[in-house]
Short mmCIF file of all heavy atoms in Angstrom, two decimals:
data_model
loop_
_atom_site.label_atom_id
_atom_site.label_comp_id
_atom_site.label_asym_id
_atom_site.label_seq_id
_atom_site.Cartn_x
_atom_site.Cartn_y
_atom_site.Cartn_z
N MET A 1 0.84 -1.17 0.00
CA MET A 1 0.00 0.00 0.00
C MET A 1 0.88 1.24 0.00
O MET A 1 1.97 1.22 0.53
CB MET A 1 -0.89 0.04 1.24
CG MET A 1 -1.94 -1.00 1.29
SD MET A 1 -2.95 -0.75 2.78
CE MET A 1 -4.17 -2.00 2.48
N LYS A 2 0.34 2.28 -0.60
CA LYS A 2 1.04 3.56 -0.62
C LYS A 2 0.15 4.63 -0.01
O LYS A 2 -1.06 4.63 -0.21
CB LYS A 2 1.39 3.97 -2.05
CG LYS A 2 2.46 3.12 -2.67
CD LYS A 2 2.87 3.66 -4.01
CE LYS A 2 3.99 2.80 -4.56
NZ LYS A 2 4.64 3.43 -5.69
N PHE A 3 0.80 5.52 0.73
CA PHE A 3 0.10 6.61 1.39
C PHE A 3 0.84 7.91 1.20
O PHE A 3 2.08 7.93 1.25
CB PHE A 3 0.00 6.35 2.90
CG PHE A 3 -0.65 5.06 3.27
CD1 PHE A 3 0.11 3.94 3.54
CD2 PHE A 3 -2.03 4.96 3.34
CE1 PHE A 3 -0.49 2.74 3.88
CE2 PHE A 3 -2.64 3.76 3.67
CZ PHE A 3 -1.86 2.65 3.95
N ARG A 4 0.11 8.99 1.00
CA ARG A 4 0.70 10.32 1.07
C ARG A 4 0.65 10.71 2.55
O ARG A 4 -0.39 10.57 3.19
CB ARG A 4 -0.07 11.32 0.22
CG ARG A 4 0.60 12.69 0.18
CD ARG A 4 -0.02 13.62 -0.83
NE ARG A 4 -0.35 13.03 -2.11
CZ ARG A 4 0.51 12.76 -3.10
NH1 ARG A 4 1.79 13.02 -2.94
NH2 ARG A 4 0.10 12.23 -4.24
N VAL A 5 1.79 11.16 3.07
CA VAL A 5 1.89 11.44 4.49
C VAL A 5 2.28 12.90 4.75
O VAL A 5 2.76 13.59 3.86
CB VAL A 5 2.89 10.49 5.18
CG1 VAL A 5 2.41 9.06 5.13
CG2 VAL A 5 4.28 10.60 4.57
N LYS A 6 2.07 13.33 5.97
CA LYS A 6 2.35 14.70 6.37
C LYS A 6 3.21 14.67 7.63
O LYS A 6 3.13 13.73 8.42
CB LYS A 6 1.01 15.38 6.67
CG LYS A 6 1.04 16.88 6.72
CD LYS A 6 -0.38 17.38 6.55
CE LYS A 6 -0.81 18.16 7.76
NZ LYS A 6 -2.13 18.74 7.61
N ASN A 7 4.04 15.69 7.79
CA ASN A 7 4.92 15.86 8.95
C ASN A 7 6.14 14.94 8.93
O ASN A 7 6.84 14.85 9.93
CB ASN A 7 4.18 15.68 10.28
CG ASN A 7 3.02 16.63 10.44
OD1 ASN A 7 3.01 17.71 9.86
ND2 ASN A 7 2.03 16.23 11.19
N VAL A 8 6.38 14.24 7.84
CA VAL A 8 7.59 13.42 7.69
C VAL A 8 8.56 14.29 6.89
O VAL A 8 8.46 14.39 5.68
CB VAL A 8 7.30 12.09 6.97
CG1 VAL A 8 8.57 11.26 6.87
CG2 VAL A 8 6.22 11.31 7.70
N ASN A 9 9.50 14.94 7.60
CA ASN A 9 10.31 15.98 6.97
C ASN A 9 11.80 15.70 6.86
O ASN A 9 12.49 16.44 6.17
CB ASN A 9 10.12 17.29 7.75
CG ASN A 9 8.68 17.74 7.76
OD1 ASN A 9 8.01 17.72 6.74
ND2 ASN A 9 8.19 18.09 8.93
N CYS A 10 12.30 14.67 7.54
CA CYS A 10 13.74 14.45 7.54
C CYS A 10 14.08 12.99 7.79
O CYS A 10 13.20 12.18 8.09
CB CYS A 10 14.41 15.33 8.60
SG CYS A 10 13.89 14.92 10.28
N ALA A 11 15.36 12.68 7.69
CA ALA A 11 15.81 11.30 7.90
C ALA A 11 15.52 10.83 9.33
O ALA A 11 15.25 9.65 9.54
CB ALA A 11 17.30 11.20 7.61
N SER A 12 15.55 11.73 10.28
CA SER A 12 15.22 11.34 11.67
C SER A 12 13.77 10.88 11.79
O SER A 12 13.48 9.94 12.52
CB SER A 12 15.47 12.51 12.63
OG SER A 12 16.85 12.79 12.70
N CYS A 13 12.88 11.55 11.06
CA CYS A 13 11.47 11.14 11.04
C CYS A 13 11.35 9.72 10.46
O CYS A 13 10.64 8.87 11.01
CB CYS A 13 10.63 12.10 10.18
SG CYS A 13 10.52 13.77 10.82
N VAL A 14 12.04 9.50 9.36
CA VAL A 14 12.00 8.18 8.70
C VAL A 14 12.54 7.11 9.64
O VAL A 14 11.96 6.03 9.78
CB VAL A 14 12.78 8.20 7.37
CG1 VAL A 14 12.87 6.81 6.78
CG2 VAL A 14 12.13 9.17 6.39
N ASN A 15 13.65 7.41 10.33
CA ASN A 15 14.23 6.44 11.26
C ASN A 15 13.28 6.14 12.41
O ASN A 15 13.16 4.98 12.82
CB ASN A 15 15.57 6.95 11.79
CG ASN A 15 16.66 6.89 10.75
OD1 ASN A 15 16.60 6.10 9.82
ND2 ASN A 15 17.66 7.74 10.91
N LEU A 16 12.61 7.15 12.93
CA LEU A 16 11.64 6.94 14.00
C LEU A 16 10.51 6.02 13.53
O LEU A 16 10.13 5.08 14.23
CB LEU A 16 11.06 8.28 14.46
CG LEU A 16 9.94 8.19 15.51
CD1 LEU A 16 10.45 7.53 16.79
CD2 LEU A 16 9.37 9.57 15.79
N ILE A 17 10.00 6.26 12.34
CA ILE A 17 8.92 5.44 11.78
C ILE A 17 9.40 4.00 11.63
O ILE A 17 8.73 3.06 12.07
CB ILE A 17 8.45 6.00 10.43
CG1 ILE A 17 7.73 7.34 10.66
CG2 ILE A 17 7.54 5.01 9.71
CD1 ILE A 17 7.53 8.16 9.40
N LYS A 18 10.56 3.82 11.00
CA LYS A 18 11.07 2.48 10.76
C LYS A 18 11.35 1.74 12.07
O LYS A 18 10.95 0.60 12.25
CB LYS A 18 12.34 2.54 9.90
CG LYS A 18 12.08 2.89 8.45
CD LYS A 18 13.41 3.04 7.71
CE LYS A 18 13.22 3.01 6.23
NZ LYS A 18 13.12 1.67 5.70
N ASN A 19 12.03 2.41 13.00
CA ASN A 19 12.39 1.76 14.27
C ASN A 19 11.17 1.42 15.11
O ASN A 19 11.17 0.45 15.85
CB ASN A 19 13.35 2.65 15.07
CG ASN A 19 14.71 2.76 14.44
OD1 ASN A 19 15.14 1.88 13.70
ND2 ASN A 19 15.40 3.84 14.72
N SER A 20 10.13 2.21 14.99
CA SER A 20 8.93 2.01 15.81
C SER A 20 7.94 1.03 15.20
O SER A 20 7.23 0.33 15.94
CB SER A 20 8.22 3.34 16.02
OG SER A 20 9.05 4.27 16.67
N LEU A 21 7.88 0.96 13.87
CA LEU A 21 6.78 0.23 13.23
C LEU A 21 7.18 -0.97 12.37
O LEU A 21 6.33 -1.82 12.10
CB LEU A 21 5.95 1.21 12.38
CG LEU A 21 5.34 2.40 13.13
CD1 LEU A 21 4.63 3.32 12.17
CD2 LEU A 21 4.42 1.93 14.23
N GLU A 22 8.43 -1.05 11.95
CA GLU A 22 8.79 -2.14 11.03
C GLU A 22 8.69 -3.52 11.65
O GLU A 22 8.33 -4.47 10.95
CB GLU A 22 10.20 -1.92 10.46
CG GLU A 22 10.20 -0.97 9.29
CD GLU A 22 11.51 -0.94 8.53
OE1 GLU A 22 12.59 -1.24 9.10
OE2 GLU A 22 11.45 -0.60 7.34
N GLU A 23 8.97 -3.66 12.91
CA GLU A 23 8.90 -4.99 13.53
C GLU A 23 7.48 -5.56 13.44
O GLU A 23 7.29 -6.73 13.17
CB GLU A 23 9.34 -4.94 14.99
CG GLU A 23 9.43 -6.31 15.61
CD GLU A 23 10.02 -6.26 17.00
OE1 GLU A 23 10.99 -5.52 17.25
OE2 GLU A 23 9.49 -7.00 17.86
N GLU A 24 6.50 -4.70 13.63
CA GLU A 24 5.10 -5.15 13.60
C GLU A 24 4.51 -5.19 12.19
O GLU A 24 3.74 -6.08 11.86
CB GLU A 24 4.25 -4.23 14.47
CG GLU A 24 2.80 -4.66 14.55
CD GLU A 24 1.98 -3.82 15.52
OE1 GLU A 24 2.55 -2.98 16.23
OE2 GLU A 24 0.76 -4.02 15.55
N PHE A 25 4.90 -4.22 11.34
CA PHE A 25 4.24 -4.07 10.04
C PHE A 25 5.12 -4.39 8.84
O PHE A 25 4.66 -4.32 7.71
CB PHE A 25 3.70 -2.63 9.90
CG PHE A 25 2.67 -2.30 10.93
CD1 PHE A 25 2.97 -1.49 12.01
CD2 PHE A 25 1.38 -2.81 10.85
CE1 PHE A 25 2.03 -1.18 12.98
CE2 PHE A 25 0.42 -2.52 11.81
CZ PHE A 25 0.75 -1.70 12.87
N GLY A 26 6.37 -4.75 9.04
CA GLY A 26 7.26 -5.10 7.94
C GLY A 26 7.98 -3.89 7.37
O GLY A 26 7.90 -2.78 7.90
N ASN A 27 8.70 -4.12 6.28
CA ASN A 27 9.53 -3.10 5.66
C ASN A 27 8.71 -1.86 5.26
O ASN A 27 7.66 -1.98 4.63
CB ASN A 27 10.23 -3.68 4.42
CG ASN A 27 11.23 -2.73 3.84
OD1 ASN A 27 12.05 -2.18 4.56
ND2 ASN A 27 11.15 -2.52 2.56
N ILE A 28 9.22 -0.70 5.62
CA ILE A 28 8.57 0.57 5.31
C ILE A 28 9.54 1.43 4.53
O ILE A 28 10.68 1.63 4.95
CB ILE A 28 8.13 1.31 6.59
CG1 ILE A 28 7.13 0.46 7.37
CG2 ILE A 28 7.55 2.68 6.25
CD1 ILE A 28 6.80 1.00 8.76
N GLU A 29 9.11 1.95 3.40
CA GLU A 29 9.91 2.86 2.59
C GLU A 29 9.24 4.22 2.59
O GLU A 29 8.02 4.31 2.46
CB GLU A 29 10.03 2.35 1.15
CG GLU A 29 10.76 1.03 1.02
CD GLU A 29 12.21 1.11 1.49
OE1 GLU A 29 12.87 2.14 1.26
OE2 GLU A 29 12.67 0.13 2.12
N VAL A 30 10.04 5.27 2.72
CA VAL A 30 9.51 6.63 2.71
C VAL A 30 10.32 7.47 1.74
O VAL A 30 11.54 7.53 1.84
CB VAL A 30 9.57 7.28 4.11
CG1 VAL A 30 9.00 8.69 4.06
CG2 VAL A 30 8.84 6.44 5.14
N ASP A 31 9.63 8.11 0.79
CA ASP A 31 10.26 9.06 -0.12
C ASP A 31 9.99 10.45 0.45
O ASP A 31 8.86 10.93 0.41
CB ASP A 31 9.67 8.91 -1.52
CG ASP A 31 10.35 9.83 -2.53
OD1 ASP A 31 10.63 10.99 -2.18
OD2 ASP A 31 10.58 9.39 -3.65
N LEU A 32 11.03 11.06 0.99
CA LEU A 32 10.87 12.36 1.65
C LEU A 32 10.44 13.46 0.67
O LEU A 32 9.67 14.34 1.04
CB LEU A 32 12.17 12.79 2.33
CG LEU A 32 12.50 12.06 3.62
CD1 LEU A 32 13.90 12.43 4.11
CD2 LEU A 32 11.47 12.36 4.69
N GLU A 33 10.94 13.39 -0.56
CA GLU A 33 10.62 14.43 -1.54
C GLU A 33 9.14 14.44 -1.90
O GLU A 33 8.49 15.48 -1.91
CB GLU A 33 11.47 14.24 -2.80
CG GLU A 33 11.33 15.37 -3.79
CD GLU A 33 12.28 15.22 -4.95
OE1 GLU A 33 13.45 14.81 -4.74
OE2 GLU A 33 11.85 15.50 -6.08
N SER A 34 8.58 13.26 -2.17
CA SER A 34 7.17 13.18 -2.58
C SER A 34 6.23 12.94 -1.41
O SER A 34 5.01 12.96 -1.57
CB SER A 34 6.99 12.07 -3.61
OG SER A 34 7.28 10.80 -3.03
N LYS A 35 6.80 12.67 -0.21
CA LYS A 35 6.01 12.38 0.99
C LYS A 35 5.12 11.15 0.79
O LYS A 35 3.98 11.09 1.22
CB LYS A 35 5.13 13.56 1.40
CG LYS A 35 5.87 14.86 1.58
CD LYS A 35 6.57 14.89 2.90
CE LYS A 35 7.06 16.34 3.11
NZ LYS A 35 8.14 16.43 4.02
N ILE A 36 5.69 10.12 0.13
CA ILE A 36 4.98 8.86 -0.11
C ILE A 36 5.60 7.77 0.76
O ILE A 36 6.81 7.54 0.73
CB ILE A 36 5.05 8.44 -1.60
CG1 ILE A 36 4.48 9.52 -2.50
CG2 ILE A 36 4.35 7.10 -1.81
CD1 ILE A 36 3.01 9.76 -2.38
N LEU A 37 4.76 7.10 1.53
CA LEU A 37 5.16 5.98 2.37
C LEU A 37 4.62 4.71 1.72
O LEU A 37 3.45 4.67 1.34
CB LEU A 37 4.58 6.16 3.77
CG LEU A 37 4.91 5.08 4.79
CD1 LEU A 37 5.10 5.70 6.15
CD2 LEU A 37 3.83 4.03 4.86
N THR A 38 5.47 3.70 1.60
CA THR A 38 5.09 2.44 0.97
C THR A 38 5.39 1.29 1.92
O THR A 38 6.47 1.22 2.49
CB THR A 38 5.88 2.23 -0.34
OG1 THR A 38 5.71 3.38 -1.18
CG2 THR A 38 5.43 0.99 -1.07
N LEU A 39 4.41 0.39 2.05
CA LEU A 39 4.63 -0.83 2.82
C LEU A 39 3.63 -1.89 2.39
O LEU A 39 2.62 -1.58 1.77
CB LEU A 39 4.53 -0.57 4.33
CG LEU A 39 3.15 -0.35 4.93
CD1 LEU A 39 3.23 -0.66 6.43
CD2 LEU A 39 2.69 1.07 4.74
N ASP A 40 3.96 -3.13 2.70
CA ASP A 40 3.09 -4.26 2.38
C ASP A 40 2.20 -4.50 3.59
O ASP A 40 2.59 -5.17 4.53
CB ASP A 40 3.94 -5.48 2.06
CG ASP A 40 3.12 -6.64 1.55
OD1 ASP A 40 1.97 -6.41 1.11
OD2 ASP A 40 3.61 -7.78 1.59
N LEU A 41 1.02 -3.92 3.55
CA LEU A 41 0.11 -3.92 4.69
C LEU A 41 -1.16 -4.67 4.32
O LEU A 41 -1.73 -4.45 3.27
CB LEU A 41 -0.22 -2.47 5.05
CG LEU A 41 -0.92 -2.18 6.35
CD1 LEU A 41 -0.02 -2.54 7.54
CD2 LEU A 41 -1.27 -0.70 6.43
N LYS A 42 -1.58 -5.55 5.21
CA LYS A 42 -2.85 -6.25 5.01
C LYS A 42 -3.98 -5.32 5.43
O LYS A 42 -3.82 -4.48 6.32
CB LYS A 42 -2.89 -7.53 5.82
CG LYS A 42 -1.86 -8.54 5.37
CD LYS A 42 -1.94 -9.80 6.20
CE LYS A 42 -0.98 -10.84 5.72
NZ LYS A 42 0.39 -10.63 6.15
N GLU A 43 -5.12 -5.47 4.80
CA GLU A 43 -6.27 -4.58 5.05
C GLU A 43 -6.64 -4.56 6.54
O GLU A 43 -6.96 -3.51 7.09
CB GLU A 43 -7.46 -5.03 4.20
CG GLU A 43 -8.53 -3.99 4.07
CD GLU A 43 -8.10 -2.73 3.32
OE1 GLU A 43 -7.39 -2.83 2.31
OE2 GLU A 43 -8.47 -1.64 3.79
N ASP A 44 -6.56 -5.72 7.20
CA ASP A 44 -6.95 -5.76 8.62
C ASP A 44 -5.92 -5.12 9.55
O ASP A 44 -6.19 -4.93 10.73
CB ASP A 44 -7.25 -7.20 9.05
CG ASP A 44 -6.06 -8.14 8.95
OD1 ASP A 44 -5.09 -7.81 8.24
OD2 ASP A 44 -6.10 -9.21 9.56
N GLN A 45 -4.75 -4.74 9.03
CA GLN A 45 -3.73 -4.05 9.82
C GLN A 45 -3.84 -2.53 9.69
O GLN A 45 -3.18 -1.80 10.42
CB GLN A 45 -2.33 -4.46 9.37
CG GLN A 45 -1.98 -5.90 9.62
CD GLN A 45 -0.61 -6.20 9.04
OE1 GLN A 45 -0.38 -6.03 7.85
NE2 GLN A 45 0.29 -6.65 9.89
N MET A 46 -4.66 -2.07 8.77
CA MET A 46 -4.73 -0.65 8.43
C MET A 46 -5.05 0.22 9.64
O MET A 46 -4.40 1.24 9.87
CB MET A 46 -5.76 -0.46 7.31
CG MET A 46 -5.94 0.95 6.86
SD MET A 46 -4.42 1.58 6.18
CE MET A 46 -4.74 3.32 6.36
N ARG A 47 -6.04 -0.14 10.42
CA ARG A 47 -6.44 0.69 11.56
C ARG A 47 -5.32 0.79 12.59
O ARG A 47 -5.01 1.87 13.09
CB ARG A 47 -7.72 0.15 12.19
CG ARG A 47 -8.23 1.03 13.31
CD ARG A 47 -9.54 0.61 13.90
NE ARG A 47 -9.67 -0.84 13.94
CZ ARG A 47 -10.81 -1.49 13.85
NH1 ARG A 47 -11.93 -0.84 13.72
NH2 ARG A 47 -10.84 -2.80 13.91
N ASP A 48 -4.69 -0.36 12.90
CA ASP A 48 -3.60 -0.35 13.88
C ASP A 48 -2.41 0.47 13.38
O ASP A 48 -1.83 1.25 14.13
CB ASP A 48 -3.14 -1.77 14.19
CG ASP A 48 -4.16 -2.57 14.98
OD1 ASP A 48 -5.03 -1.95 15.63
OD2 ASP A 48 -4.08 -3.81 14.96
N PHE A 49 -2.06 0.30 12.11
CA PHE A 49 -0.94 1.06 11.54
C PHE A 49 -1.24 2.56 11.59
O PHE A 49 -0.40 3.35 12.03
CB PHE A 49 -0.64 0.63 10.11
CG PHE A 49 0.44 1.47 9.49
CD1 PHE A 49 1.78 1.24 9.80
CD2 PHE A 49 0.13 2.50 8.62
CE1 PHE A 49 2.78 2.03 9.26
CE2 PHE A 49 1.12 3.30 8.07
CZ PHE A 49 2.46 3.05 8.39
N SER A 50 -2.42 2.93 11.16
CA SER A 50 -2.80 4.34 11.14
C SER A 50 -2.72 4.96 12.53
O SER A 50 -2.18 6.06 12.72
CB SER A 50 -4.21 4.49 10.57
OG SER A 50 -4.60 5.83 10.53
N LYS A 51 -3.22 4.25 13.53
CA LYS A 51 -3.20 4.77 14.91
C LYS A 51 -1.77 4.91 15.42
O LYS A 51 -1.40 5.95 15.97
CB LYS A 51 -4.00 3.86 15.84
CG LYS A 51 -4.02 4.38 17.27
CD LYS A 51 -4.73 3.47 18.21
CE LYS A 51 -4.76 3.95 19.64
NZ LYS A 51 -3.66 4.76 20.09
N GLU A 52 -0.96 3.89 15.22
CA GLU A 52 0.41 3.94 15.70
C GLU A 52 1.23 5.01 14.97
O GLU A 52 2.08 5.67 15.56
CB GLU A 52 1.07 2.57 15.59
CG GLU A 52 0.46 1.58 16.58
CD GLU A 52 1.16 0.24 16.60
OE1 GLU A 52 2.41 0.22 16.47
OE2 GLU A 52 0.47 -0.78 16.76
N PHE A 53 0.96 5.18 13.68
CA PHE A 53 1.63 6.21 12.88
C PHE A 53 1.27 7.59 13.43
O PHE A 53 2.14 8.44 13.63
CB PHE A 53 1.19 6.06 11.42
CG PHE A 53 1.97 6.90 10.44
CD1 PHE A 53 3.28 6.60 10.12
CD2 PHE A 53 1.36 7.98 9.82
CE1 PHE A 53 3.99 7.37 9.21
CE2 PHE A 53 2.06 8.76 8.91
CZ PHE A 53 3.38 8.45 8.61
N GLN A 54 0.01 7.81 13.73
CA GLN A 54 -0.44 9.09 14.30
C GLN A 54 0.10 9.29 15.70
O GLN A 54 0.43 10.42 16.08
CB GLN A 54 -1.97 9.17 14.30
CG GLN A 54 -2.54 9.37 12.92
CD GLN A 54 -4.06 9.45 12.92
OE1 GLN A 54 -4.71 9.13 13.92
NE2 GLN A 54 -4.61 9.86 11.80
N ASP A 55 0.20 8.23 16.48
CA ASP A 55 0.76 8.34 17.84
C ASP A 55 2.21 8.83 17.81
O ASP A 55 2.68 9.43 18.77
CB ASP A 55 0.69 6.99 18.57
CG ASP A 55 -0.73 6.63 18.99
OD1 ASP A 55 -1.63 7.50 18.93
OD2 ASP A 55 -0.94 5.46 19.38
N LEU A 56 2.91 8.57 16.70
CA LEU A 56 4.29 9.05 16.54
C LEU A 56 4.34 10.53 16.14
O LEU A 56 5.40 11.13 16.11
CB LEU A 56 5.03 8.21 15.49
CG LEU A 56 5.32 6.76 15.85
CD1 LEU A 56 5.90 6.03 14.66
CD2 LEU A 56 6.23 6.67 17.06
N GLY A 57 3.19 11.10 15.80
CA GLY A 57 3.13 12.51 15.43
C GLY A 57 3.02 12.78 13.95
O GLY A 57 3.18 13.91 13.50
N PHE A 58 2.74 11.74 13.18
CA PHE A 58 2.64 11.88 11.73
C PHE A 58 1.19 11.67 11.29
O PHE A 58 0.36 11.20 12.06
CB PHE A 58 3.55 10.86 11.03
CG PHE A 58 4.98 10.96 11.51
CD1 PHE A 58 5.53 9.98 12.31
CD2 PHE A 58 5.76 12.05 11.19
CE1 PHE A 58 6.84 10.07 12.77
CE2 PHE A 58 7.07 12.16 11.64
CZ PHE A 58 7.62 11.16 12.43
N GLU A 59 0.90 12.01 10.05
CA GLU A 59 -0.48 11.92 9.56
C GLU A 59 -0.51 11.30 8.17
O GLU A 59 0.28 11.64 7.30
CB GLU A 59 -1.06 13.33 9.51
CG GLU A 59 -2.51 13.37 9.10
CD GLU A 59 -3.05 14.79 9.08
OE1 GLU A 59 -2.46 15.69 9.70
OE2 GLU A 59 -4.07 14.98 8.41
N ILE A 60 -1.46 10.40 7.97
CA ILE A 60 -1.74 9.86 6.63
C ILE A 60 -2.76 10.80 5.99
O ILE A 60 -3.84 11.00 6.52
CB ILE A 60 -2.29 8.44 6.71
CG1 ILE A 60 -1.22 7.49 7.26
CG2 ILE A 60 -2.76 7.98 5.32
CD1 ILE A 60 -1.68 6.08 7.51
N VAL A 61 -2.38 11.39 4.86
CA VAL A 61 -3.25 12.33 4.18
C VAL A 61 -4.22 11.61 3.26
O VAL A 61 -5.41 11.91 3.24
CB VAL A 61 -2.41 13.35 3.36
CG1 VAL A 61 -3.31 14.30 2.58
CG2 VAL A 61 -1.47 14.12 4.28
N GLU A 62 -3.69 10.63 2.51
CA GLU A 62 -4.55 9.85 1.62
C GLU A 62 -3.90 8.53 1.26
O GLU A 62 -2.68 8.39 1.30
CB GLU A 62 -4.89 10.62 0.34
CG GLU A 62 -3.71 10.83 -0.59
CD GLU A 62 -4.07 11.58 -1.86
OE1 GLU A 62 -5.08 11.22 -2.49
OE2 GLU A 62 -3.34 12.51 -2.21
N ARG A 63 -4.73 7.59 0.92
CA ARG A 63 -4.26 6.29 0.44
C ARG A 63 -4.20 6.36 -1.07
O ARG A 63 -5.12 6.83 -1.73
CB ARG A 63 -5.26 5.21 0.88
CG ARG A 63 -4.81 3.83 0.55
CD ARG A 63 -5.77 2.85 1.20
NE ARG A 63 -5.55 1.52 0.70
CZ ARG A 63 -6.25 0.49 1.04
NH1 ARG A 63 -7.24 0.61 1.89
NH2 ARG A 63 -5.97 -0.69 0.54
N LEU A 64 -3.08 5.94 -1.62
CA LEU A 64 -2.88 6.02 -3.07
C LEU A 64 -3.07 4.68 -3.75
O LEU A 64 -3.03 3.67 -3.14
CB LEU A 64 -1.47 6.55 -3.37
CG LEU A 64 -1.14 7.89 -2.72
CD1 LEU A 64 0.32 8.22 -2.94
CD2 LEU A 64 -2.01 8.99 -3.31
#
């Protein structure tokens, strides 16, 4: 799945996301320039991922 995200502005943000969420949700790729986050997420994991992502201070703007 791909998401347009907000508040992901630097490599430290990407590291925080990866260190906090990859163990539970698998490999996460973030393109800082386009603000696109990509990961292999099952539909039933979407709510948990979204909540944990927001708890870190980031926002999913839209699903692509």
Side-chain angles (χ1 to χ4, degrees):
M1 291 183 175
K2 290 187 177 193
F3 303 96
R4 185 170 318 282
V5 295
K6 196 161 119 176
N7 302 333
V8 181
N9 300 314
C10 64
S12 293
C13 295
V14 174
N15 288 335
L16 175 62
I17 292 165
K18 287 175 164 278
N19 291 335
S20 300
L21 302 176
E22 278 191 334
E23 187 173 319
E24 183 175 353
F25 298 105
N27 187 49
I28 299 171
E29 296 298 322
V30 180
D31 183 319
L32 285 173
E33 187 174 320
S34 64
K35 306 281 191 202
I36 302 293
L37 180 144
T38 306
L39 74 158
D40 187 18
L41 192 65
K42 295 180 177 80
E43 197 64 42
D44 62 342
Q45 294 176 302
M46 180 62 202
R47 184 175 36 210
D48 290 340
F49 176 78
S50 180
K51 181 183 180 330
E52 291 185 37
F53 190 72
Q54 287 180 348
D55 287 348
L56 292 174
F58 306 108
E59 183 179 341
I60 294 174
V61 177
E62 69 179 313
R63 185 172 168 182
L64 304 173

